[in-house]
């Protein structure tokens, strides 16, 4: 048995921490109608009674509402962080107060403690795992394979985690079913389009005290995220320029009314650059050379490799913090190129960043929650391996959200259903 | 051998007709950069030398440019109409002037002549068929199966045609490969979103002399077409209301900022109603009862069954043509409900309608043209049956369009290609 | 006494004409809530009993509803056209049916008959004049000064008319009060921004069968009309370019997110050009030289001098009607520049043009109607000369429109009124 | 002579403060192209040599660039704060470093020191005053009337200051000319529309971690600020509702496509409420009663009296800080109404607020700077009293901004100028 103590035994003023953590959770809960609707259902039905859920996630206010929801549904939950820097101790303490939850998450722990905490979570012998980067799945497969027989399944939130799970699956090394929550339409359309767009642009504005009206905003990549950033920037009266490598996306952006051009041309006219490609080296030395004085460079895509900061650093004659969250690189001709959040995800890594909007996480976590319920109800129907979220679960979350917002819509009549069927499937 | 004469032998003033037809074709050609770029390639390479192409299509100015393009690429072409009412005799005559083309299309012919003309086309013993409703495919399979061995394949433009071909295919009754041109991303994104939206709204405005600013425009159905209509109506300062039956689409419309409600509520507040569902009975008696005086009812979806005109006619105490292309149905309480274009596709069936914009058909026909080229080059690679258009052909058309419009874009570097590969396919 | 006969005595099939004219008027009336609301008031109160109103206006369906409204309010009305080409004989006949109206308007009359008809109108010895180009005011001042003493005042609809009246006024030659209906906020904001924008763009689309998505639309002039055209074109996914001569307007367009550049640069990239400057020679030879093949040139400003057609004609090696309402000018390098509606107002002069939307004229004519009522009620309060429409009349029309559309809004409380007063006028 | 010491003598670590202040000023300067262009002109021409300028303004990074610009143009400048809470000591210290500037501004000073600092500024015997709330003008008129003869004039930035100056002027108590910088088109159109809209919405988003997509955003007041907020919120995919008391503004909002309704109805459906009326008691007890749980209430108008917080406090059964900058008022039925920034200007008073965007202040301060130059060059031409900023100065600032952004535009030809003249001023 792990001797690693829960957060309540690690903090000095546990009472104050719990109150502050609860305050943060309450704010998010005010604006999470999907989780709130599911809470009513789960409190009534107790679907997770007899389940033990092991979680490794970012322990902050939004996630905490998912954790608590699962506990309110009857589960015994043990949780730790999935990144030592993203844990809010106060939220961790507030969670630990819940009679069904033990939280081991603590901010800033070292490597050894980090893995001790994971071990402590595994001590509950989870029947379900919920991951944000597959640390829990990995630890169980590597160190506790004896638990696998009693595990009904797992859910994984992130792109990266799903990617690694698929690699395991390809090697026949994944021994229980895991839902790839990341890829659902509900996440793709709302999180990517609205969440990334709004939060990235607002973070940049509030980090720089600058406005968008009349600015040339260069959006690199016209996938779902790029589409959202372009639309929202245009909605702030920016003149949007799109760069792309896929001709149909380039044409789509062009037909939308945006200017489309290669980055080498965009570099000369852009005022603000946002990379959302998921690729590397999107803005490089040849582009830095052409940029105007005072430009902003930010990334809202994936990793911090979209803007080639090494090259920029090499070219700069001076480099200094021009403002909190803004590093100015001064060229030998006096031009200053301003990089936000060290080229990492601007809506997560800026000093004032708050991550994705609450409503967006509500949708994501709503899918997580119904996936966990699905594992309990029908886990046996899923083979070991990575699974798409079933379409009806995704649709259910949309229905819950619409109901919570008071938005009514139509249903097909029998005659209409029959007509659609006859049409789509042939006579 | 069919004795059915080509159009040149059927018209009185063939010279005048040819000139007028050519004038119409020239206008479209000015605005068809994709076909113009392909013409340069095809005139040089003569990919269709030795091919005989049998076509049954709407013979009007836009289509005629596709027909001529195939002939310019070396094909011997015989064509007739796919609907006796859509043929423009002058365009048919202009086509018939081309040394490689014989056109049998004539407006307003009866059933017997219609099929005689198809037979006349088949007399050339086509090696390729191009259809807009699969009349040519059907006639060959039913009456000329002996030709099938020498046919490399076909291309079908319409949703309906593809639907019927799939049914044949399911019954193993389709004996050569046919490309389903209708379903490509190039068509779905541009034709549906931009083409339907712009042309429907402009047709309504120019039929009624009314404006959209401040109007409640009810869009029934939030698929690609509905999305386009909603966006373009909003861009004319309408207040858009969306009705839907699929919760994720309803939620998507809601998150876009539109009002979403059931038709029974929308009926009470709407000023203009546009159905784009592809289903039947979308607006019915219960809705007519609640509508305001003076509303406009139009369909931009599929068939004329989206608005239940029988029910409306039954409810009306009077019914009269309020304006060219507008039928007013007067209720017993004096309210007038105005139906445009008899509930048929408003951008095709209104008296002033011009069909889809030229640029949109340029994209569709561009895909047709490269599909025909693909059949000639690689026809042997395709089994009998319905085939999706290969992704690289669709992409090629996008590339051609971008080049024609002078829009440059980026390419992946080798390092980027490798990075994407490593990412997507696992280590 | 003039012997010039009313329209009823000039047409052969007067019954059919009346029915058709009435049908046209009825369509407009369905969509003129302001005039309909005023009709209720005027029928009840008969404000114009004992008044004789002489009118010279475009006699078509929208205007006819104003004419009839005045007659329904008790006036004896005599009317003729203000332009021999704008009269619809059927509408004129339908008006002439009204017991209080005599209509002398007939399409296509020669000069002599045109002025005979004006004389016939003046025979009723008008107490009020309503003009669309000040013909009535001019004829009375020049030839019937003896009538002026009994005239309470007039109303003038057009910019041109107001301009000429102001010139008369400056020379002390205007002997009764006339309201300048043209300049009110209600007209400027709605007619110019929404009416011109929507109707011009829809007319161009339906004349050319082209779409706006992805097109470079060059808007010359960023006044109210230009603002409307730019906004609506952008709302159809055009990429809008603005040209201006006034730096603050240029900056306003720039801050709105549009590209701003001189016409000499815009000429090279534009696909569609719309002039809305009210000035001359906005697009000239140096611009024609740079344009792309296939561009559209249209005017939505004022007169047909914004595009220098003489220069274009001189440069062209060929010139022909490419399509109804489109004249192609072919350059010696093969480029074709397409001029719509001969450079005249595209939303009025195109073959399919319908003029301003019904709702927009409803607002304009609503202001006309309350101005006539003001003359009857308070005419003595106005000196001879041109007068702005009193602000409360303009506001009243807004109130009527909002009530008719069922739009509620707030009122100031006494405390709020007091607070605003204290704030704006000092302690 | 005042003995009040400049900031350099009041701070402990003056070096560090200067560096940090300079860093803040430099960031703003990067994005103030108008002031930078004027700096080149002023450094060359030294228009303010021999002038002494007394200033009372918010001493922060943006304003500091105006102060330094005047000093760089040759003026001797003395400055103090116009509000003890808005001063940044580090910026004040950086200013004080300039050889031509003495800064007395210090954060958090008491009343006595505040007025001592004003006295210290007046000690330089200013020839020009620049105010942000007319403290300098007032102190001179009340306590140093002997200086007035040598003062060429002043400039006042704020609405409130202009209001009070107009009251003085009405009483013939203003003894030198003062420009009302607040009212220029450059300020009204850009500051109000773009500045208020963007900064308010971004501040709310980053204070609450919420998004706008699909939210009902209620904008109270449709003046320039309301127009901007509505447009930008709509551009983030909010569904905008407008409340108004003036019917033409209400109609304008309605014709723009927004929902217009009384606050009593909007209260029931709104998710976010923004008041921008400049009036009091816009949201009151009757509205709080109808609101949904979790709504946000913010003010972007003027004073903190638009939302009736006293009433709200009375109604609440509990009241607590739900989040930094958010006060939750809990009703007896459990609903929580969240007030941002205590109902004060949300883009100034929120904990993370940054005030107006840099570019917007650049335009405002550009007008200030050319007004000061105008006083030096032509001060004698202006009588004592409040003066509108001459139109050509406002236009000049637009020209400078366009040039700095590299935006070219057209000029009128002689023929066009003549045509406009003939048209507008009569024959």
């Amino acid at each position: 048995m792990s001797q690693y103590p829960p957060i309540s035994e690690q903090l000095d003023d546990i009472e104050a921490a719990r109150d502050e953590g609860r305050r943060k959770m309450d704010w998010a809960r005010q604006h999470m109608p999907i989780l709130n609707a599911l809470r009513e259902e789960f409190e009534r039905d107790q679907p997770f009674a007899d389940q033990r859920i092991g979680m490794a996630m970012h322990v902050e206010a939004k996630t905490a509402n998912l954790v608590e929801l699962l506990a309110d549904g009857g589960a015994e939950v043990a949780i730790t962080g999935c990144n030592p820097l993203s844990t809010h101790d106060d939220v961790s303490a507030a969670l630990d107060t819940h009679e069904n939850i033990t939280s081991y998450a603590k901010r800033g722990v070292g490597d050894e403690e980090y893995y001790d905490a994971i071990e402590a979570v595994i001590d509950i012998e989870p029947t379900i795992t919920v991951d944000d980067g597959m640390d829990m799945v990995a630890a169980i497969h590597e160190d506790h394979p004896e638990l696998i027989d009693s595990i009904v399944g797992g859910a994984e939130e992130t792109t990266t985690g799903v990617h690694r799970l698929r690699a395991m699956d390809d090697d026949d090394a994944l021994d229980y079913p895991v839902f790839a929550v990341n890829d659902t339409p509900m996440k793709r359309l709302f999180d990517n389009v609205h969440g990334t767009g709004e939060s990235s642009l607002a973070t940049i504005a509030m980090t720089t005290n600058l406005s968008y009206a009349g600015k040339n905003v260069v959006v690199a990549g016209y996938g779902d995220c790029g589409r959202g950033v372009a639309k929202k920037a245009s909605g702030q009266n920016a003149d949007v320029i799109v760069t792309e490598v896929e001709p149909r996306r380039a044409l789509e952006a062009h037909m939308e009314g945006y200017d489309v051009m290669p980055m080498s041309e965009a570099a000369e006219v852009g005022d603000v650059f946002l990379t959302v490609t998921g690729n590397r080296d999107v803005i490089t030395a040849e582009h830095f050379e052409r940029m105007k004085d005072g430009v902003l460079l930010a990334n809202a895509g994936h990793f911090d490799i979209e803007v080639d900061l090494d090259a920029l650093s090499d070219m700069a004659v001076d480099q200094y913090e021009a403002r909190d969250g803004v590093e100015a690189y001064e060229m030998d001709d006096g031009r200053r190129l301003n990089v936000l959040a060290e080229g990492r995800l601007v809506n997560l890594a800026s000093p004032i960043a708050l991550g994705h909007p609450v409503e967006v996480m509500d949708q994501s976590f709503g899918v997580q929650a119904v996936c966990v319920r699905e594992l309990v109800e029908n886990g046996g129907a899923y083979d070991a391996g990575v699974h798409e979220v079933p379409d009806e679960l995704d649709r259910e979350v949309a229905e819950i959200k619409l109901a919570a917002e008071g938005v009514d819509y139509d249903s097909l009549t029998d005659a209409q259903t029959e007509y659609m069927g006859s049409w789509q499937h042939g006579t």
Side-chain angles (χ1 to χ4, degrees), chain A:
Chain A
M1 283 301 278
S2 163
Q3 301 301 316
Y4 193 77
I7 185 77
S8 303
E9 300 173 17
Q10 299 190 51
L11 293 185
D12 290 336
D13 188 352
I14 182 70
E15 300 268 312
R18 282 171 179 173
D19 290 351
E20 178 63 12
R22 173 59 52 189
R23 187 179 77 119
K24 289 183 178 175
M25 285 174 63
D26 279 351
W27 176 256
R29 185 185 285 206
Q30 266 195 49
H31 303 282
M32 297 184 108
I34 297 171
L35 295 197
N36 291 340
L38 287 172
R39 181 172 292 108
E40 282 190 34
E41 176 193 326
F42 290 178
E43 284 183 340
R44 185 187 61 232
D45 300 347
Q46 294 290 303
F48 310 133
D50 306 323
Q51 300 296 331
R52 295 178 303 280
I53 304 180
M55 305 177 78
M57 301 194 80
H58 300 290
V59 176
E60 49 74 67
K62 288 167 281 191
T63 318
N65 276 283
L66 171 64
V67 178
E68 198 168 57
L69 169 65
L70 299 174
D72 289 344
E76 184 185 345
V77 179
I79 182 167
T80 184
C82 62
N83 179 325
L85 294 178
S86 68
T87 295
H88 290 226
D89 286 346
D90 45 14
V91 171
S92 182
L95 279 178
D96 200 49
T97 310
H98 194 288
E99 59 175 349
N100 290 6
I101 303 173
T102 311
S103 176
Y104 299 95
K106 185 157 188 303
R107 188 188 194 78
V109 293
D111 260 21
E112 190 177 342
E113 289 163 300
Y114 182 75
Y115 288 105
D116 282 352
I118 289 177
E119 283 300 306
V121 167
I122 292 175
D123 271 356
I124 64 158
E125 303 189 352
T127 56
I128 289 171
T129 60
V130 178
D131 259 320
D132 201 340
M134 76 158 270
D135 278 349
M136 199 57 60
V137 170
I140 287 170
H141 278 74
E142 283 161 27
D143 303 326
H144 301 277
E146 73 283 1
L147 295 176
I148 287 174
D149 269 358
S150 54
I151 291 181
V152 291
E156 165 61 44
E157 173 81 8
T158 64
T159 307
T160 320
V162 168
H163 175 63
R164 290 169 62 200
L165 286 169
R166 289 229 159 87
M168 275 181 79
D169 197 6
D170 289 345
D171 295 344
D172 283 327
L174 182 59
D175 295 328
Y176 61 80
V178 181
F179 282 124
V181 173
N182 184 63
D183 297 342
T184 65
M186 281 292 285
K187 176 157 163 52
R188 197 169 54 81
L189 287 170
F190 303 113
D191 185 330
N192 294 1
V193 175
H194 296 293
T196 300
E198 290 191 35
S199 61
S200 300
L201 292 172
T203 302
I204 295 173
M206 296 303 293
T207 298
T208 62
N209 199 18
L210 298 176
S211 70
Y212 293 105
K215 291 277 171 62
N216 288 326
V217 172
V218 179
V219 180
Y222 199 67
D224 287 320
C225 288
R227 220 176 298 268
V229 171
K231 181 208 295 240
K232 308 273 177 176
S234 181
Q236 303 287 297
N237 300 106
D239 195 357
V240 171
I241 294 168
V242 170
T243 73
E244 244 302 336
V245 295
E246 211 283 332
R248 282 171 300 189
R249 288 184 169 180
L251 183 54
E252 208 179 338
H254 170 64
M255 296 288 276
E256 199 72 20
Y258 302 128
D259 282 317
V260 176
M261 59 183 77
M263 184 57 83
S264 55
E265 291 176 28
E268 294 181 6
V269 295
D271 297 302
V272 181
F273 296 78
L274 255 124
T275 52
V276 276
T277 69
N279 209 322
R280 59 180 301 157
D281 301 329
V282 177
I283 306 185
T284 61
E286 64 160 323
H287 308 127
F288 300 139
E289 275 169 12
R290 300 161 177 240
M291 288 182 179
K292 299 190 291 188
D293 179 34
V295 297
L296 307 183
L297 303 171
N299 171 39
H302 200 184
F303 295 123
D304 61 356
I305 57 175
E306 304 215 6
V307 180
D308 186 353
L309 291 183
D310 291 341
L312 184 55
S313 204
D314 286 348
M315 294 167 73
V317 295
D318 193 13
Q319 183 176 338
Y320 56 91
E321 190 182 47
R323 200 174 163 87
D324 287 1
V326 183
E327 184 82 0
Y329 292 78
E330 196 168 317
M331 302 289 108
D332 57 6
D333 54 7
R335 290 176 302 127
R336 289 151 296 185
L337 278 48
N338 302 292
V339 175
L340 277 73
E342 301 167 22
R344 295 188 291 144
L345 281 177
V346 71
N347 65 341
L348 280 170
S350 283
I352 60 160
L354 301 169
H356 268 30
V358 176
E359 303 90 335
V360 157
M361 299 317 297
D362 185 40
Q363 301 208 173
S364 255
F365 291 148
V367 177
Q368 287 269 29
V370 295
C371 280
V372 172
R373 192 195 57 195
E374 173 71 4
L375 287 170
V376 174
E377 292 178 352
N378 304 305
Y382 297 90
D383 295 333
V386 177
H387 292 268
E388 299 290 308
V389 174
D391 207 49
E392 64 268 24
L393 294 185
D394 194 54
R395 194 184 306 118
E396 179 189 348
V397 174
E399 288 166 354
I400 292 171
K401 167 95 173 179
L402 287 166
E405 304 251 308
V407 177
D408 270 355
Y409 55 100
D410 284 311
S411 322
L412 289 175
T413 62
D414 291 346
Q416 286 178 320
T417 304
E418 185 186 357
Y419 180 79
M420 289 308 274
S422 74
W423 173 250
Q424 288 171 336
H425 304 304
T427 22

